Amino acid sequence: MAIADKLVLKRQRHLKWRWLDWLELTLMILCGALCFGFSLSVAADIVTRTIGHPWLWLQEVTSTLFIYAIFVGTAAATRRNDHLYLTAISEAMQGTPRLIVEVVIRLVVLGVAFCLIWYGYQNYLRGFGSFRLPSGTPIASLYAIIPLSGILVGLFTIEQLVNGLRNGFDHPEPPDEEAAPAVDGTQVRAQP
């Protein structure tokens, strides 16, 4: 099984456009790299402080990786329908009530995406007036990911909204390929 098959979720395919699968794959790989880099920089920061020769720039790297991982992860989780949704409420419903709840939830998420874009961009522009120490990098470098994340969250929410209205939100999920096979009563009695 290829790495793309493992990282791009097959769940809720009826809500996804195949042409955006590459973006989900890229976001998942980026999330992994950011989390790995964050862990590595924290470990290096601890080691350099312990030996008495701290690298102060590691704190900048750590905070940047952490913030980018949060917002890239938010976008990836939105595409995978793992984040920002009240799925327990909507999955307990069927028919028109479910349709209404699914649409309202996604409209709220679109509002959040708009806020990420609007206010994130404003913070990004203001960030050129403040600088990080010791590097002197504008703080805008931290804020750049916020509006980008908002654009991706909005795109993925629109994708789910359009496909949900077109195909319906309620579709039975295919059985998990990696799950253990079901055991029936005759197989249980036959086991020693």
Side-chain angles (χ1 to χ4, degrees):
M1 184 176 252
I3 186 121
D5 294 333
K6 292 180 180 181
L7 292 179
V8 176
L9 272 185
K10 303 294 181 243
R11 185 171 39 98
Q12 298 181 334
R13 277 308 312 173
H14 65 286
L15 296 178
K16 298 178 181 180
W17 293 318
R18 293 209 181 277
W19 63 271
L20 285 178
D21 285 352
W22 70 270
L23 190 52
E24 180 180 348
L25 176 63
T26 302
L27 290 173
M28 292 301 294
I29 291 170
L30 189 56
C31 278
L34 289 167
C35 288
F36 178 76
F38 170 76
S39 301
L40 193 63
S41 68
V42 167
D45 191 29
I46 292 169
V47 168
T48 59
R49 287 180 183 279
T50 302
I51 63 173
H53 299 287
W55 296 345
L56 298 178
W57 58 268
L58 273 174
Q59 290 184 352
E60 286 186 49
V61 170
T62 301
S63 63
T64 302
L65 292 172
F66 182 70
I67 290 169
Y68 274 63
I70 289 170
F71 288 101
V72 169
T74 299
T78 301
R79 174 85 194 312
R80 298 163 69 90
N81 206 9
D82 285 339
H83 195 51
L84 300 174
Y85 295 99
L86 305 172
T87 56
I89 295 171
S90 62
E91 288 177 358
M93 300 176 176
Q94 292 181 346
T96 305
R98 178 165 184 172
L99 178 70
I100 291 168
V101 169
E102 294 276 10
V103 169
V104 167
I105 288 170
R106 282 173 176 82
L107 289 176
V108 169
V109 173
L110 272 177
V112 170
F114 176 76
C115 289
L116 285 171
I117 295 166
W118 181 260
Y119 295 110
Y121 184 67
Q122 288 180 352
N123 280 335
Y124 170 73
L125 292 178
R126 285 189 195 120
F128 285 105
S130 300
F131 300 93
R132 301 176 71 191
L133 294 175
S135 71
T137 306
I139 235 165
S141 65
L142 286 178
Y143 299 147
I145 192 65
I146 299 171
L148 180 60
S149 175
I151 290 168
L152 293 172
V153 167
L155 172 67
F156 296 146
T157 303
I158 290 169
E159 169 192 38
Q160 292 173 7
L161 194 55
V162 167
N163 287 323
L165 291 171
R166 184 179 297 157
N167 305 325
F169 288 98
D170 189 16
H171 275 261
E173 293 299 326
D176 189 12
E177 297 169 2
E178 295 180 10
V183 179
D184 62 9
T186 57
Q187 291 172 326
V188 171
R189 281 183 245 119
Q191 293 177 352

